[in-house]
Amino acid sequence: VKFESIQPVTWPVRLARMQGSSAALVGLGVLMPLLAASQPVQPIRALSALSVLMFLPGIAVARLLRLGDPILFLAVAPSVSLALTVLTSTGLMYAGVWSWQLTLALLGAVTAAVAAVTRPADGQA
Amino acid sequence: MTQFAPRYMADVSVKVLPRPGVNLGIGALGLLCGGLAVWSAAGVIPTEIGDGGLAPVLPAGFWVAVVGLNFAFVLSLGRSTPSWLPPTLVAGLVALLYAPASVVGEAPRVAVSWRHLGIADDMANGVFDPRIDAYFNWPGFFPGLATLIQATGIPPPQVAAWAPVFNLALWSLGVAAALRTLTRDKDAILMPLWLFLIGNWIDQDYLSPQALGFLVLLAILALVLSVLGAAVEGGAPGLRSFWRTGTRVPEHADGRQRRLTLLVVVVLSVALVSSHQLTPVVLAMSLVGLVVVRRSWAPLLPVILGLLLVLWMLYPASTYLVGHPMFGRDEAGVVQANLTGRVAGSPGHLAVLGVRMGLTIGVWLLAAVGVVQSWRAGRRDLRPYVLAIVPFLAVPVLNYGGEMLLRVTLFSLPFVAFFAARPLAGLRPRWRRTAGGLTRPSTTRTLVLTLLLSVLCAASVTAKYGNARFDVFTKDEVTAAGALGDLAPAGSVLVAGAASTPWASQDYSRYTRRTLQSLCAVDFAPASCVRTLQDLAGREASAGGITLLLTRGNQASLEVQGQMSDEDFAGFEARIRGLPGTRLLLVNRDARIYHLSPGTAPARSHL
């Protein structure tokens, strides 16, 4: 019996095994909301916030779906991102806890989570 | 994606070897023309725009750009091209047709986009009450907009000004993705996309829930037609027996990917249902159509969407739906509300309306020819037929303030354009080899198609910007509208001359807002309109009176739409000034603000 095989896989190990692009998405999902929340000068602030609101979550989801057609990928990624922005911000407003920083943080978390569970074969668009 | 429909234009992608650098030149010409058009349009002075809208005052440079861009486009047809060329040309057309909306005038055009900014601002400040109006019952778009504005730090008017270009760039991707599920023929995708951009004069691409809804609808359709699509194998396709011949099989073999995609489509659907009344209903109808023709591997999807719709109407939107039924005909009747009721106004405006109807009917006629050609050519893929026709079934069913015909025209346009492109495909240039081994396009076909597309582009600009005399704003109008809230006494009802007012971008829910256009709809005669205002002052505005905003655009709107001539408008304003207790609060080049005290109400006879 090889006991090593039942040792739990830690997050650093999982990240190390991750595809480069998935790891990059996890990093961007963490970094970009923080960068936007720090309210840097324009256009860095606008670009960092737009990347979270319009692209990153959708790119993570589109990679997970393994959309073979690049045009389909390009159409679905912003649509999913905007839909998630709508759902997150609306949900927070109904809950009475809306803030743009929290919305960005949740969208960054979605990006990181979806990218982290994307298997190498999934990411090959 | 394992199977695609046969090519609709079988002879399209000819392998040719144009002169070295030709493709680069065509791409550069496309971008140059897009830039020239934007630069030319930016020079237009709003106050010089007449009843015919923007087109008559655009400089010659704009029209040169129209012809040049269409020439570049035609030179990319009938042969294989590098993959970067079609998107480059489409970017040029988006700039040419839609960036004028961003650069003409001194502030974002279309009054509704100002209102949408105000709703987002209210929601960001904690106002989230479904009793206010329909927007607060389908709020999804606005918290998203509030997040975007506050997180990016971009000034709200800039967000509104550039929304059309941004939306059309995304819509183009969505239309291309949907069409690529029907064919992989480059021209059979590019030509319908070109026609879609030209035919979309409907002006729903401003900062609005509809623009977001249409994007999500396109993404859902593209996913349903591809990953969640079904094909029928082993049967002879045809109208009489399509529902029972052959075996329905999934287009996408991987069950896990299909389930994940279905989950994503449901998430998209929830966002859509929370953001817009109309779009999910039309989407559900289209999805039912795809199930009926056996081309969907997710037959429960329309049921899920229907359940989401019902749940949303039962709970979050129930406040609004009491007294505002979604389903049912307009009281004025379908034809009157959607068509004949809109055909009125000055001669210039009537000409614009004629161009709008002509462009729409022209595209529909081309599509009808394309349908016949496709059917005769044995194309029995029923998906584009369904997606082009089904949205129109919503016209007599849904009550949408007389706008249903315009909206369903937009929903069906990508697939109507798919068929409309087919007859035009016969005009593409034929490429011939020269003695040197290089290829050249046939001159006559190139020029004829360039001319035809240029005329359609000119009609599109005329139709889209036909209301520019009153929906393009000056700085003074925006300043006056912005000052209205500060100048209005507490409890005052705000009244503007017409709906074309750049107001409500702040304090949306704080004031009751009315327009002369709706208040005086029964009788626009100056004396009658003043009496209506006096009644309002006595009835609804007893605490704070009426704060009345009259702008250049208001006057133009009333005059262009045949409701109040310039003389009548001047007479109306003179009577307002003459009322006892009326005060002039603000005056600038393009606007005046008056306050009518509650005491201006006419004496009532007691019989």
Side-chain angles (χ1 to χ4, degrees):
Chain A
V1 177
K2 291 183 178 178
F3 290 102
E4 295 85 352
S5 64
I6 57 170
Q7 283 182 347
V9 180
T10 59
W11 272 104
V13 172
R14 190 169 286 190
L15 277 174
R17 287 180 187 170
M18 207 180 280
Q19 226 183 3
S21 47
S22 291
L25 272 176
V26 171
L28 289 171
V30 175
L31 181 69
M32 286 301 169
L34 288 173
L35 182 61
S38 68
Q39 302 187 30
V41 293
Q42 297 289 20
I44 297 171
R45 179 180 173 185
L47 291 174
S48 56
L50 284 175
S51 71
V52 182
L53 297 173
M54 288 189 48
F55 299 110
L56 291 177
I59 289 172
V61 169
R63 288 179 77 252
L64 183 68
L65 296 184
R66 268 195 278 171
L67 300 173
D69 180 2
I71 301 293
L72 185 60
F73 186 97
L74 288 173
V76 167
S79 306
V80 170
S81 290
L82 289 170
L84 289 173
T85 300
V86 161
L87 289 176
T88 309
S89 51
T90 306
L92 291 175
M93 284 219 178
Y94 272 116
V97 293
W98 175 84
S99 75
W100 62 267
Q101 293 93 337
L102 182 56
T103 309
L104 287 185
L106 289 174
L107 290 170
V110 169
T111 304
V114 175
V117 301
T118 301
R119 300 184 305 207
D122 292 334
Q124 292 166 0
Chain B
M1 283 162 285
T2 56
Q3 189 178 339
F4 290 95
R7 286 180 174 175
Y8 272 57
M9 303 174 190
D11 60 339
V12 166
S13 295
V14 181
K15 270 276 184 199
V16 294
L17 296 169
R19 288 176 193 279
V22 162
N23 286 324
L24 270 178
I26 291 172
L29 178 62
L31 289 180
L32 188 70
C33 289
L36 175 62
V38 177
W39 180 75
S40 303
V44 171
I45 299 166
T47 49
E48 290 180 356
I49 298 172
D51 290 5
L54 184 64
V57 295
L58 282 168
F62 183 90
W63 302 110
V64 170
V66 167
V67 177
L69 180 60
N70 282 299
F71 180 63
F73 172 70
V74 172
L75 289 181
S76 75
L77 298 174
R79 64 185 179 90
S80 57
T81 57
S83 58
W84 55 263
L85 187 56
T88 305
L89 294 171
V90 169
L93 187 63
V94 168
L96 184 143
L97 290 177
Y98 298 95
S102 310
V103 299
V104 171
E106 298 161 358
R109 65 184 274 277
V110 183
V112 185
S113 58
W114 290 86
R115 190 195 309 162
H116 291 170
L117 290 175
I119 297 164
D121 184 61
D122 258 15
M123 289 189 185
N125 289 310
V127 180
F128 207 66
D129 185 349
R131 289 169 299 179
I132 295 172
D133 61 22
Y135 290 118
F136 289 79
N137 288 258
W138 283 270
F141 170 79
F142 300 102
L145 177 59
T147 305
L148 186 137
I149 288 170
Q150 296 210 0
T152 60
I154 301 172
Q158 288 299 312
V159 174
W162 289 96
V165 176
F166 171 79
N167 285 329
L168 259 299
L170 292 180
W171 287 8
S172 298
L173 283 169
V175 171
L179 295 180
R180 275 168 70 87
T181 62
L182 304 175
T183 174
R184 283 300 173 100
D185 188 313
K186 185 260 297 177
D187 284 4
I189 297 162
L190 188 56
M191 289 186 74
L193 179 54
W194 205 260
L195 281 182
F196 167 79
L197 291 169
I198 290 173
N200 173 41
W201 62 265
I202 295 145
D203 213 16
Q204 289 299 321
D205 40 60
Y206 59 88
L207 188 71
S208 63
Q210 176 65 88
L212 175 70
F214 188 58
L215 173 69
V216 175
L217 174 136
L218 288 170
I220 290 176
L221 284 180
L223 287 170
V224 170
L225 289 168
S226 55
V227 185
L228 297 178
V232 178
E233 285 183 348
L239 263 186
R240 289 181 184 172
S241 56
F242 71 88
W243 66 90
R244 56 189 165 88
T245 56
T247 308
R248 195 172 61 96
V249 295
E251 291 220 36
H252 199 84
D254 188 336
R256 177 174 174 268
Q257 298 311 124
R258 288 202 307 269
R259 286 190 293 277
L260 280 173
T261 303
L262 183 61
L263 182 65
V264 170
V265 167
V266 171
V267 170
L268 287 168
S269 300
V270 176
L272 188 60
V273 167
S274 73
S275 301
H276 202 236
Q277 278 175 281
L278 175 63
T279 311
V281 179
V282 176
L283 174 64
M285 294 170 76
S286 298
L287 293 176
V288 168
L290 289 175
V291 171
V292 168
V293 297
R294 304 171 77 198
R295 297 306 303 268
S296 168
W297 194 250
L300 283 180
L301 188 56
V303 179
I304 295 170
L305 186 55
L307 280 174
L308 289 172
L309 268 166
V310 170
L311 284 174
W312 194 269
M313 285 192 280
L314 281 178
Y315 182 55
S318 58
T319 310
Y320 179 77
L321 286 173
V322 176
H324 301 87
M326 252 178 84
F327 297 94
R329 293 177 182 180
D330 279 293
E331 285 176 10
V334 174
V335 175
Q336 201 277 334
N338 284 278
L339 206 60
T340 54
R342 293 172 172 268
V343 184
S346 66
H349 189 60
L350 287 175
V352 169
L353 296 178
V355 172
R356 286 175 179 166
M357 283 194 276
L359 180 60
T360 306
I361 292 169
V363 172
W364 286 350
L365 285 176
L366 277 173
V369 174
V371 163
V372 173
Q373 287 180 337
S374 294
W375 199 260
R376 282 188 174 173
R379 311 300 181 209
R380 295 294 186 268
D381 181 352
L382 296 176
R383 294 174 299 172
Y385 300 93
V386 164
L387 294 171
I389 293 167
V390 162
F392 288 95
L393 301 180
V395 174
V397 179
L398 285 169
N399 178 350
Y400 209 72
E403 282 196 26
M404 273 305 295
L405 193 56
L406 287 174
R407 302 295 177 109
V408 298
T409 300
L410 172 66
F411 292 131
S412 68
L413 189 56
F415 305 98
V416 168
F418 180 69
F419 288 111
R422 192 182 166 88
L424 293 184
L427 294 172
R428 284 166 302 149
R430 284 186 179 146
W431 292 78
R432 296 190 182 88
R433 287 190 185 281
T434 59
L438 299 169
T439 48
R440 300 184 68 161
S442 52
T443 309
T444 310
R445 282 167 166 248
T446 303
L447 293 181
V448 167
L449 188 54
T450 299
L451 183 66
L452 185 57
L453 291 174
S454 299
V455 169
L456 287 174
C457 266
S460 180
V461 172
T462 306
K464 182 173 173 62
Y465 300 110
N467 294 345
R469 188 179 161 202
F470 58 85
D471 72 8
V472 167
F473 304 116
T474 64
K475 275 183 186 166
D476 282 341
E477 287 175 300
V478 173
T479 303
L484 201 55
D486 297 331
L487 296 173
S492 180
V493 171
L494 307 187
V495 178
S500 58
T501 305
W503 62 351
S505 63
Q506 287 185 325
D507 299 325
Y508 176 81
S509 56
R510 192 172 150 202
Y511 293 101
T512 301
R513 291 181 175 80
R514 301 289 184 84
T515 65
L516 295 183
Q517 227 157 18
S518 60
L519 288 168
C520 306
V522 177
D523 185 1
F524 279 100
S528 169
C529 208
V530 169
R531 268 198 307 278
T532 304
L533 274 189
Q534 287 178 296
D535 281 343
L536 181 71
R539 195 175 62 245
E540 287 186 32
S542 54
I546 290 174
T547 308
L548 175 66
L549 169 68
L550 298 174
T551 70
R552 175 205 62 88
N554 292 167
Q555 184 175 351
S557 174
L558 291 163
E559 199 266 331
V560 166
Q561 296 180 73
Q563 292 159 332
M564 199 184 269
S565 68
D566 287 346
E567 292 74 27
D568 281 351
F569 189 87
F572 165 79
E573 192 169 351
R575 284 169 188 263
I576 289 292
R577 276 198 301 268
L579 289 176
T582 296
R583 288 183 295 137
L584 180 62
L585 302 179
L586 180 145
V587 62
N588 66 28
R589 190 190 56 178
D590 293 325
R592 279 87 55 209
I593 297 179
Y594 298 95
H595 180 254
L596 282 64
S597 67
T600 60
R604 292 175 185 279
S605 58
H606 300 281
L607 297 175

